[in-house]
Amino acid sequence: MSLQKIGVIGAGQMGNGIAHVCALAGLDVVMSDVSLDRAEHGLEVIKGNLHRQVHKGLISDALAAAAIARIVPAGGLEKFGDSDLVVEAATEHEATKKAIFRELCPKLK
């Protein structure tokens, strides 16, 4: 089995970094956070980071645009059902992590 779609829970520094790298590698990514606004903010950070990579000549405009197109922001966990892998990169609070996994597991196929 090869990975095609990655779910990333958390759109902060670690989560958006994971989403960024996965999208550049050609994987489809769903990146969620506690609200759609926060997930969309994480996507804006990724766009800025990709733009910086283009400016430095590290990647092409086309590669950056393709990576951006592969990332779907989400405000919940509903879109993770068909993910091949889900990475949890949320807050370092044990009770929150447990709640995330209790909600996530029934949604996975």
Side-chain angles (χ1 to χ4, degrees):
M1 177 178 119
S2 65
L3 297 177
Q4 299 294 318
K5 184 177 179 184
I6 304 297
V8 179
I9 301 171
Q13 185 173 4
M14 183 180 292
N16 72 48
I18 293 166
H20 176 142
V21 171
C22 289
L24 272 179
L27 300 170
D28 293 327
V29 178
V30 173
M31 181 177 63
S32 77
D33 211 305
V34 295
S35 71
L36 182 56
D37 286 344
R38 299 225 5 215
E40 288 172 341
H41 175 74
L43 180 56
E44 291 303 314
V45 171
I46 293 169
K47 288 177 182 179
N49 291 339
L50 287 166
H51 176 72
R52 187 172 59 248
Q53 286 182 290
V54 168
H55 182 72
K56 289 182 176 183
L58 300 173
I59 62 173
S60 67
D61 280 320
L63 186 58
I68 291 165
R70 288 187 192 101
I71 302 171
V72 175
L77 304 178
E78 296 77 23
K79 295 184 179 183
F80 288 113
D82 61 346
S83 295
D84 298 313
L85 174 71
V86 177
V87 178
E88 182 275 320
T91 183
E92 293 302 316
H93 183 261
E94 185 177 358
T96 301
K97 289 181 181 293
K98 286 180 179 180
I100 288 169
F101 284 112
R102 275 193 300 275
E103 183 182 346
L104 174 66
C105 288
K107 292 175 176 38
L108 300 175
K109 294 178 184 178

